[in-house]
Amino acid sequence: KPVVVAGTEVYIELDVGGNVDSRRAIFVPTASSDFELVFRYTVQNEHSTNGETLNYICTGKSCSLIVGASTTIKAFATNPIIEADLTLPSPTSRGISDDDFMPIIIDTSGNPRVVSVSSLTSSGVYTPGDAINIVATFNRVVDVSGAPFMTLDVGANQIGLARYTGGSGTN
């Protein structure tokens, strides 16, 4: 049923650790409608779902939207007087994701970093036109965009370029 929100202090507290203010999904009135309230959460450093799916926090035995003292949510009417039920469904193992196969997991344990660089090509002597495959391995899965390259020292004050050929979505 449609609702009318008077005020802007409406949020959902998410289970990501950190301080209370930083783990709130904040109400976005301009993206909301009478039937659907939209909230925005910005991932902060050191937030984590600890490998679990993103979910909201329930206090005590109830789960509900949290509304500030100067904000009300009421049933839509010419003169709104009936308070809306702000109870949220109990959290599920799927979390807030609407896709069983693509859960939302928060992990800010650090940016991906290169942990090793090696060659898949056998040791030997190579001449112009020979290809040498080089692998840069990251500590976590990365998505690659653009045209990255690696600068190589090929001796005698010369520089070579190794151009990216594939591996996005892997580490």
Side-chain angles (χ1 to χ4, degrees):
K1 296 183 179 184
V3 295
V4 61
V5 179
T8 58
E9 194 178 348
V10 183
Y11 59 91
I12 301 171
E13 191 172 342
L14 299 174
D15 191 7
V16 293
N19 70 47
V20 174
D21 291 334
S22 74
R23 65 181 178 219
R24 292 178 175 168
I26 305 296
F27 173 56
V28 183
T30 56
S32 299
S33 70
D34 295 341
F35 289 92
E36 194 171 73
L37 303 184
V38 175
F39 295 81
R40 178 169 296 127
Y41 162 68
T42 302
V43 177
Q44 302 292 312
N45 288 331
E46 300 183 21
H47 279 189
S48 176
T49 56
N50 297 312
E52 302 293 323
T53 58
L54 180 60
N55 233 320
Y56 42 83
I57 295 175
C58 299
T59 55
K61 294 183 180 182
S62 68
C63 299
S64 65
L65 292 177
I66 300 169
V67 180
S70 62
T71 300
T72 61
I73 302 176
K74 296 184 178 183
F76 188 83
T78 304
N79 184 18
I81 58 171
I82 300 172
E83 296 287 331
D85 181 358
L86 305 180
T87 304
L88 300 172
S90 294
T92 67
S93 61
R94 186 175 74 202
I96 63 170
S97 175
D98 61 357
D99 187 333
D100 286 328
F101 301 104
M102 295 295 292
I104 298 171
I105 297 174
I106 307 298
D107 178 3
T108 59
S109 58
N111 293 330
R113 68 182 188 287
V114 177
V115 293
S116 69
V117 177
S118 59
S119 175
L120 301 175
T121 306
S122 309
S123 296
V125 177
Y126 295 89
T127 59
D130 291 336
I132 299 172
N133 294 316
I134 299 170
V135 176
T137 303
F138 288 81
N139 65 329
R140 62 191 325 167
V141 172
V142 295
D143 287 316
V144 180
S145 61
F149 61 90
M150 185 182 302
T151 305
L152 305 172
D153 178 358
V154 294
N157 295 323
Q158 296 181 24
I159 295 176
L161 291 179
R163 297 187 192 289
Y164 172 75
T165 60
S168 186
T170 67
N171 67 337

